[in-house]
Amino acid sequence: MMRETSTLPGEEQRSNGAGQHVDRRLLIDGQLLTTARTFPSLNPATGQVLGYAPDATVAEAQAAVAAARRAFDTTDWATNVELRIRCLDQLHRALVEHRDELADLTVAEVGATPALCAGAQLDQPIAIVRYYADLLRRYPMTEDLGNAEIRGMQHHRWVEKEAAGVVAAIIAYNYPNQLALAKLGPALAAGCTVVLKGAPDTPLVTLALGELIAEHTDIPAGVVNVLSGADPDVGAALTTSPDVDMVTFTGSTQTGRRIMAAASETLKKVFLELGGKSAAIVLDDADFTMAALFTAFSMVTHAGQGCALTSRLLVPRTHHDEIVVLVKNNFGLVKYGDPTDPQTYMGPLISEKQRDKVHGMVQRAVAAGATLVTGGQKVDPGFFYQPTLLTGVDPDSEIAQEEVFGPVLAVIAYDDDDDAVRIANNSIYGLSGAVFGSEERAIAVARRIRTGTFSINGGNYFSPDVPFGGYKQSGIGREMGVAGLEEFLESKTFARVLTEVPA
């Protein structure tokens, strides 16, 4: 069967020896490899094939795990701090030097805008690697607990931090550079070895990270392995392998539940960063203009494909109509379309499947009694969806309870602060949230919301040094910051009898 192939900017296609072409390669045990099968990656702004990625099989996943196991068990990677610092420095330098190439690929494959690449899509993820290289230089791997007299003898106690072992890291499509480097950076700093599996919708950008590691760092063979594949059995092989000590996953809560269940068979350590249905609360003493601007443009960031976005807008019943008009007007200012255009604020959804899901949820919300104020339409070509505002939303309805992952904002009216807190906490999720109002009152409300992160009057918490994660079914553990490093460490307690009693 003949097919058309495409070449990425600045890249020559590579043959896998079987007459097929791939645009990126797997990294397994220090070798850049292709596979017998490939699968296409689409440009979501056009719907056209961008390139082809190797379609890894379970056998390749098992080879990657074996390589990571061997590297952890037989090399000094886990104990050689100076080597790890040097390799993280090299990785950071390679990312900086190839930043523009990665940005072009991220725009083309992810549908991100250049402005997003200057932030959470690329430049902030690159800064994560710098952060962990620097943190490793000063992080204490040993804690002295001093002496204790037990049964007439002096005992000296201390705690040492050790790498958790072999890590399977599985990421989502929406911010692939962020998700990959927020796992790779601390895992490598801790001394772990890693098998990283990219999302099937955005394989090329993750494979590009693997190529940089192979070609521009001294990271030993097997320490980092990077896979792409469309077969869900590949991910299952990683989560169930007895040679994997820890699983870190970012994606849907539904998939997170399955991963947790699979990992329980071997009692693996599990870190999960899952879904969200975060609420933004506008108090009656807030600056409504600022709150409406923030919530509108935040909700359509990356076409709403962000787990921490505030997709529920809670407004005082007495000011409902006033705030809705402000949000609607702001949605009308959002320029969406070709993400390569510097004037574009919102790009496409990742796929036709995701767009159909979003559209279906909007249609069901309207059928259930919500009012469509603006938006609610697909835009072709590509996988675009209009910024969409719904009012009259029942707090218990699907659109208020389930993650949409699209540019859809549901407005819910409340009566007083207690009612707002109750509605905000009425969710299986607890990832993020926001509040607008006088500072003391806003902070008091924020402290009552059960989420892992919170923005007060537009405050931005997202940074390499700040822990990120959620309560309830939004996940387990924290990514980034010192807490992010410690997710990949184990603590070992030591004690020895002192033969000479201190004076």
Side-chain angles (χ1 to χ4, degrees):
M1 177 179 176
M2 299 296 292
R3 68 177 185 189
E4 294 182 357
T5 58
S6 62
T7 304
L8 299 180
E11 290 290 320
E12 295 181 358
Q13 291 180 331
R14 305 177 177 100
S15 172
N16 66 7
Q20 295 179 328
H21 293 280
V22 292
D23 296 278
R24 296 287 174 182
R25 294 165 289 175
L26 307 178
L27 175 59
I28 300 177
D29 203 11
Q31 301 297 311
L32 293 171
L33 306 170
T34 58
T35 57
R37 298 181 304 179
T38 64
F39 68 101
S41 176
L42 304 184
N43 181 330
T46 65
Q48 301 301 307
V49 173
L50 173 69
Y52 289 87
D55 194 4
T57 64
V58 170
E60 273 113 17
Q62 292 169 337
V65 170
R69 183 80 264 167
R70 186 167 54 252
F72 186 82
D73 292 341
T74 66
T75 75
D76 68 344
W77 176 257
T79 57
N80 192 333
V81 174
E82 292 305 316
L83 172 61
R84 301 204 301 270
I85 291 172
R86 184 174 83 243
C87 289
L88 286 168
D89 285 342
Q90 291 170 338
L91 177 56
H92 178 258
R93 184 164 54 251
L95 290 167
V96 170
E97 291 174 351
H98 293 266
R99 187 265 176 202
D100 290 346
E101 173 192 337
L102 289 171
D104 288 344
L105 182 55
T106 302
V107 170
E109 186 175 48
V110 185
T113 62
L116 276 177
C117 288
Q121 283 286 4
L122 185 57
D123 288 357
Q124 283 182 326
I126 291 173
I128 291 173
V129 179
R130 173 79 275 137
Y131 170 79
Y132 282 108
D134 293 340
L135 178 62
L136 188 54
R137 289 178 164 91
R138 65 180 189 275
Y139 183 82
M141 289 292 184
T142 301
E143 179 187 4
D144 195 312
L145 300 180
N147 300 334
E149 183 178 336
I150 303 173
R151 296 178 181 176
M153 301 181 70
Q154 289 289 322
H155 299 258
H156 181 220
R157 299 86 39 79
W158 73 99
V159 176
E160 293 184 4
K161 301 292 181 65
E162 297 182 350
V166 176
V167 175
I170 303 172
I171 64 172
Y173 64 78
N174 55 331
Y175 286 83
N177 296 306
Q178 163 68 30
L179 302 180
L181 294 175
K183 298 180 188 304
L184 278 177
L188 297 179
C192 296
T193 58
V194 183
V195 179
L196 171 66
K197 181 183 180 297
D201 287 305
T202 54
L204 302 179
V205 68
T206 304
L207 295 174
L209 298 177
E211 292 189 1
L212 290 180
I213 288 169
E215 296 173 344
H216 298 279
T217 77
D218 295 327
I219 294 175
V223 168
V224 178
N225 306 270
V226 184
L227 303 176
S228 61
D231 186 351
D233 287 343
V234 172
L238 299 181
T239 59
T240 58
S241 171
D243 286 329
V244 170
D245 301 297
M246 175 180 175
V247 177
T248 173
F249 168 76
T250 298
S252 72
T253 294
Q254 181 180 16
T255 302
R257 293 188 192 110
R258 293 199 298 268
I259 286 175
M260 193 171 184
S264 70
E265 291 298 318
T266 48
L267 291 178
K268 300 184 193 308
K269 190 174 184 179
V270 177
F271 168 81
L272 301 173
E273 201 275 281
L274 306 175
K277 193 66 185 177
S278 302
I281 302 171
V282 181
L283 300 177
D284 58 17
D285 61 359
D287 180 336
F288 294 161
T289 299
M290 186 268 283
L293 182 70
F294 181 92
T295 55
F297 280 86
S298 171
M299 190 58 245
V300 299
T301 298
H302 195 34
Q305 297 169 114
C307 52
L309 297 180
T310 48
S311 54
R312 292 182 293 160
L313 179 60
L314 278 52
V315 303
R317 195 174 305 278
T318 53
H319 297 281
H320 175 277
D321 294 351
E322 176 186 356
I323 296 172
V324 166
V325 169
L326 292 170
V327 175
K328 177 185 177 182
N329 291 342
N330 284 322
F331 270 3
L333 299 175
V334 175
K335 177 175 172 54
Y336 57 88
D338 179 5
T340 65
D341 183 344
Q343 300 302 312
T344 295
Y345 185 84
M346 188 185 88
L349 293 168
I350 193 63
S351 66
E352 186 66 37
K353 178 182 178 181
Q354 180 60 25
R355 186 169 69 166
D356 286 344
K357 177 203 168 188
V358 171
H359 190 53
M361 291 186 74
V362 170
Q363 289 183 313
R364 290 194 297 275
V366 172
T371 298
L372 179 63
V373 176
T374 188
Q377 297 295 321
K378 300 178 182 181
V379 180
D380 296 320
F383 309 130
F384 296 94
Y385 199 76
Q386 293 176 336
T388 299
L389 183 63
L390 296 167
T391 61
V393 172
D394 182 338
D396 295 319
S397 65
E398 179 193 42
I399 201 71
Q401 291 291 321
E402 297 298 326
E403 190 171 43
V404 180
F405 234 56
V408 179
L409 184 60
V411 180
I412 302 171
Y414 69 85
D415 296 317
D416 55 28
D417 290 7
D418 289 343
D419 192 33
V421 169
R422 180 190 61 78
I423 294 170
N425 284 331
N426 176 30
S427 173
I428 65 170
Y429 302 109
L431 187 55
S432 191
V435 63
F436 301 87
S438 58
E439 185 168 306
E440 184 176 345
R441 183 179 168 200
I443 292 174
V445 168
R447 285 179 172 146
R448 298 173 64 189
I449 309 302
R450 292 188 52 75
T451 65
T453 54
F454 217 87
S455 170
I456 298 168
N457 290 324
N460 189 344
Y461 52 77
F462 202 75
S463 175
D465 63 334
V466 177
F468 177 82
Y471 291 15
K472 300 188 281 188
Q473 293 188 39
S474 283
I476 298 171
R478 293 295 181 269
E479 211 155 53
M480 300 191 295
V482 174
L485 174 65
E486 292 175 343
E487 292 288 346
F488 296 95
L489 293 171
E490 296 280 10
S491 294
K492 179 183 286 185
T493 301
F494 295 85
R496 67 183 181 91
V497 174
L498 297 178
T499 55
E500 296 183 8
V501 178

